[in-house]
Coordinates of all heavy atoms in Angstrom, one line a residue:
G20 N -0.6 3.0 13.8 CA -0.9 1.9 12.9 C -0.7 2.3 11.4 O 0.2 3.0 11.1
F21 N -1.5 1.7 10.6 CA -1.4 1.9 9.1 C -2.8 2.0 8.5 O -3.7 1.3 8.9 CB -0.6 0.8 8.5 CG -0.7 0.7 7.0 CD1 -0.2 1.8 6.2 CD2 -1.4 -0.3 6.3 CE1 -0.2 1.8 4.8 CE2 -1.4 -0.3 4.9 CZ -0.8 0.7 4.2
E22 N -3.0 3.0 7.6 CA -4.3 3.1 6.9 C -4.0 3.3 5.4 O -3.2 4.0 5.0 CB -5.0 4.4 7.5 CG -6.4 4.5 7.0 CD -7.1 5.7 7.6 OE1 -7.2 5.8 8.9 OE2 -7.5 6.6 6.8
F23 N -4.8 2.5 4.7 CA -4.7 2.6 3.2 C -6.0 3.0 2.6 O -7.1 2.5 3.0 CB -4.3 1.2 2.6 CG -4.2 1.2 1.1 CD1 -3.0 1.6 0.5 CD2 -5.2 0.7 0.3 CE1 -2.9 1.6 -0.9 CE2 -5.1 0.7 -1.0 CZ -4.0 1.2 -1.7
Q24 N -5.9 4.0 1.7 CA -7.1 4.6 1.1 C -7.1 4.5 -0.4 O -6.0 4.7 -1.0 CB -7.3 6.1 1.6 CG -7.6 6.2 3.0 CD -7.9 7.7 3.4 OE1 -7.6 8.6 2.6 NE2 -8.5 7.9 4.5
D25 N -8.2 4.2 -1.0 CA -8.4 4.1 -2.4 C -9.1 5.4 -2.9 O -10.3 5.6 -2.6 CB -9.2 2.9 -2.8 CG -9.4 2.8 -4.3 OD1 -9.0 3.6 -5.0 OD2 -10.1 1.8 -4.7
K26 N -8.3 6.3 -3.5 CA -8.8 7.6 -4.0 C -8.8 7.6 -5.5 O -8.7 8.7 -6.1 CB -8.1 8.7 -3.4 CG -8.2 8.9 -1.9 CD -7.5 10.2 -1.4 CE -7.7 10.4 0.1 NZ -7.0 11.6 0.5
L27 N -8.8 6.5 -6.2 CA -8.8 6.4 -7.6 C -10.1 6.9 -8.2 O -11.2 6.8 -7.6 CB -8.5 5.0 -8.1 CG -7.1 4.4 -7.8 CD1 -7.1 2.9 -8.1 CD2 -6.1 5.2 -8.7
F28 N -10.0 7.5 -9.4 CA -11.2 7.9 -10.1 C -11.0 7.7 -11.6 O -9.8 7.8 -12.1 CB -11.6 9.3 -9.8 CG -10.6 10.3 -10.2 CD1 -10.5 10.9 -11.5 CD2 -9.5 10.6 -9.3 CE1 -9.5 11.8 -11.8 CE2 -8.6 11.5 -9.7 CZ -8.6 12.2 -10.9
G29 N -12.0 7.4 -12.4 CA -11.9 7.4 -13.8 C -11.2 6.1 -14.4 O -10.9 6.0 -15.5
G30 N -11.0 5.1 -13.5 CA -10.5 3.8 -14.0 C -9.0 3.9 -14.5 O -8.6 3.1 -15.3
S31 N -8.2 4.8 -13.9 CA -6.8 4.9 -14.3 C -6.1 3.6 -13.9 O -5.1 3.3 -14.6 CB -6.2 6.1 -13.6 OG -6.3 6.1 -12.2
V32 N -6.5 3.0 -12.8 CA -5.9 1.7 -12.4 C -7.1 0.8 -12.1 O -8.0 1.1 -11.3 CB -5.0 1.8 -11.1 CG1 -4.6 0.5 -10.7 CG2 -3.8 2.7 -11.4
P33 N -7.2 -0.4 -12.8 CA -8.3 -1.3 -12.5 C -8.3 -1.7 -11.0 O -7.3 -1.9 -10.4 CB -7.9 -2.5 -13.4 CG -7.0 -2.0 -14.5 CD -6.3 -0.9 -13.8
R34 N -9.6 -1.9 -10.5 CA -9.8 -2.3 -9.1 C -9.1 -3.6 -8.7 O -8.7 -3.7 -7.6 CB -11.3 -2.4 -8.8 CG -12.0 -1.1 -9.0 CD -11.7 -0.1 -8.0 NE -12.3 1.2 -8.3 CZ -12.0 2.4 -7.7 NH1 -11.0 2.4 -6.7 NH2 -12.5 3.5 -8.0
Q35 N -8.9 -4.4 -9.7 CA -8.3 -5.7 -9.4 C -6.8 -5.6 -8.9 O -6.3 -6.5 -8.3 CB -8.3 -6.6 -10.6 CG -7.4 -6.2 -11.7 CD -7.8 -6.7 -13.1 OE1 -9.0 -6.5 -13.5 NE2 -7.0 -7.5 -13.7
Y36 N -6.2 -4.4 -9.2 CA -4.8 -4.2 -8.8 C -4.6 -3.5 -7.5 O -3.5 -3.3 -7.0 CB -4.0 -3.5 -9.9 CG -3.9 -4.3 -11.2 CD1 -4.3 -3.7 -12.4 CD2 -3.5 -5.6 -11.2 CE1 -4.2 -4.5 -13.6 CE2 -3.4 -6.4 -12.4 CZ -3.8 -5.8 -13.6 OH -3.7 -6.5 -14.7
V37 N -5.7 -2.9 -7.0 CA -5.6 -2.1 -5.7 C -5.2 -3.0 -4.6 O -4.3 -2.5 -3.8 CB -7.0 -1.4 -5.4 CG1 -7.0 -0.7 -4.1 CG2 -7.3 -0.4 -6.5
P38 N -5.7 -4.2 -4.4 CA -5.1 -5.0 -3.2 C -3.6 -5.3 -3.4 O -2.9 -5.3 -2.3 CB -5.9 -6.3 -3.4 CG -7.2 -5.9 -4.1 CD -6.8 -4.9 -5.0
A39 N -3.1 -5.4 -4.6 CA -1.7 -5.6 -4.8 C -0.9 -4.3 -4.3 O 0.2 -4.4 -3.8 CB -1.4 -5.9 -6.2
V40 N -1.5 -3.1 -4.6 CA -0.9 -1.9 -4.1 C -0.8 -1.8 -2.6 O 0.3 -1.5 -2.0 CB -1.6 -0.7 -4.7 CG1 -1.1 0.6 -4.1 CG2 -1.6 -0.7 -6.2
E41 N -1.9 -2.2 -2.0 CA -1.9 -2.2 -0.5 C -0.9 -3.2 0.0 O -0.1 -3.0 1.0 CB -3.3 -2.5 0.0 CG -3.3 -2.5 1.6 CD -4.8 -2.8 2.1 OE1 -5.7 -2.8 1.3 OE2 -4.9 -2.9 3.3
K42 N -0.8 -4.4 -0.6 CA 0.1 -5.4 -0.2 C 1.6 -5.0 -0.4 O 2.4 -5.2 0.5 CB -0.1 -6.7 -1.0 CG 0.6 -7.9 -0.4 CD 0.2 -9.2 -1.1 CE 0.9 -10.4 -0.5 NZ 0.6 -11.7 -1.2
G43 N 1.8 -4.2 -1.5 CA 3.2 -3.7 -1.7 C 3.6 -2.7 -0.6 O 4.7 -2.7 -0.1
C44 N 2.6 -1.9 -0.1 CA 2.8 -1.0 1.0 C 3.2 -1.8 2.3 O 4.2 -1.5 2.9 CB 1.6 -0.1 1.2 SG 1.3 1.1 0.0
R45 N 2.4 -2.7 2.6 CA 2.6 -3.5 3.8 C 3.9 -4.2 3.8 O 4.6 -4.3 4.9 CB 1.4 -4.4 4.1 CG 0.1 -3.8 4.4 CD -1.0 -4.7 4.7 NE -2.3 -4.1 5.0 CZ -2.6 -3.6 6.2 NH1 -1.8 -3.6 7.2 NH2 -3.8 -3.0 6.3
E46 N 4.3 -4.8 2.7 CA 5.5 -5.6 2.7 C 6.7 -4.6 2.8 O 7.7 -5.0 3.5 CB 5.6 -6.4 1.4 CG 4.6 -7.6 1.3 CD 4.7 -8.4 0.0 OE1 5.5 -7.9 -0.9 OE2 4.0 -9.4 -0.1
T47 N 6.6 -3.5 2.2 CA 7.7 -2.5 2.3 C 7.8 -2.0 3.7 O 8.9 -1.7 4.2 CB 7.5 -1.4 1.3 OG1 7.3 -1.9 0.0 CG2 8.8 -0.5 1.3
M48 N 6.7 -1.8 4.4 CA 6.7 -1.3 5.8 C 7.3 -2.3 6.7 O 8.0 -1.9 7.6 CB 5.2 -1.0 6.2 CG 4.6 0.2 5.6 SD 2.9 0.3 6.0 CE 2.9 0.5 7.8
E49 N 7.2 -3.6 6.4 CA 7.8 -4.6 7.3 C 9.3 -4.6 7.2 O 10.0 -4.7 8.2 CB 7.3 -6.0 6.9 CG 5.8 -6.3 7.3 CD 5.4 -7.6 6.9 OE1 6.2 -8.4 6.4 OE2 4.2 -7.9 7.0
E50 N 9.8 -4.3 6.0 CA 11.3 -4.3 5.8 C 11.9 -3.0 6.2 O 13.1 -2.9 6.5 CB 11.6 -4.5 4.3 CG 11.1 -5.9 3.8 CD 11.2 -5.9 2.2 OE1 11.6 -4.9 1.6 OE2 10.9 -7.0 1.7
G51 N 11.1 -1.9 6.3 CA 11.6 -0.6 6.7 C 12.4 0.0 5.5 O 12.7 -0.6 4.5
V52 N 12.6 1.3 5.7 CA 13.3 2.1 4.6 C 14.6 2.7 5.2 O 15.7 2.6 4.6 CB 12.4 3.2 4.1 CG1 13.1 4.1 3.0 CG2 11.1 2.6 3.6
L53 N 14.5 3.4 6.3 CA 15.7 4.0 6.9 C 16.8 3.0 7.3 O 17.9 3.1 6.9 CB 15.3 4.8 8.1 CG 14.8 6.3 7.9 CD1 14.5 6.9 9.3 CD2 15.8 7.1 7.2
A54 N 16.4 2.1 8.2 CA 17.4 1.2 8.8 C 16.9 -0.3 8.9 O 17.4 -1.1 9.7 CB 17.8 1.7 10.2
G55 N 15.8 -0.6 8.2 CA 15.3 -1.9 8.2 C 14.3 -2.2 9.3 O 14.0 -3.4 9.5
Y56 N 13.8 -1.2 10.0 CA 12.9 -1.4 11.1 C 11.4 -1.2 10.6 O 11.2 -0.4 9.6 CB 13.2 -0.4 12.3 CG 14.5 -0.7 12.9 CD1 15.6 0.2 12.7 CD2 14.7 -1.8 13.7 CE1 16.8 -0.1 13.3 CE2 16.0 -2.1 14.3 CZ 17.0 -1.2 14.1 OH 18.2 -1.4 14.6
P57 N 10.4 -1.8 11.2 CA 9.1 -1.7 10.7 C 8.6 -0.2 10.7 O 8.9 0.6 11.6 CB 8.2 -2.5 11.7 CG 9.2 -3.4 12.3 CD 10.5 -2.7 12.4
V58 N 7.8 0.1 9.7 CA 7.2 1.5 9.5 C 5.9 1.5 10.2 O 5.1 0.6 10.0 CB 7.1 1.9 8.1 CG1 6.4 3.2 7.9 CG2 8.5 1.9 7.4
V59 N 5.6 2.6 11.0 CA 4.3 2.7 11.7 C 3.7 4.1 11.5 O 4.4 5.0 11.0 CB 4.4 2.4 13.2 CG1 4.9 0.9 13.4 CG2 5.5 3.3 13.8

């Protein structure tokens, strides 16, 4: 499957942007990197 973890400290990235980071990961996984197949 897929697991996303938030290991931020010190406020380097505001919490409001963390869901966007996870969404960016999921969208890229759907498109694939090597040959366009889903990443698992």
Side-chain angles (χ1 to χ4, degrees):
F21 168 65
E22 187 177 303
F23 180 79
Q24 291 185 343
D25 179 359
K26 293 184 178 179
L27 290 170
F28 60 92
S31 54
V32 175
R34 296 294 172 189
Q35 69 203 59
Y36 296 130
V37 172
V40 174
E41 181 177 355
K42 192 173 182 181
C44 289
R45 292 186 181 275
E46 289 180 358
T47 309
M48 286 173 63
E49 288 176 9
E50 297 171 359
V52 179
L53 274 181
Y56 296 105
V58 175
V59 295

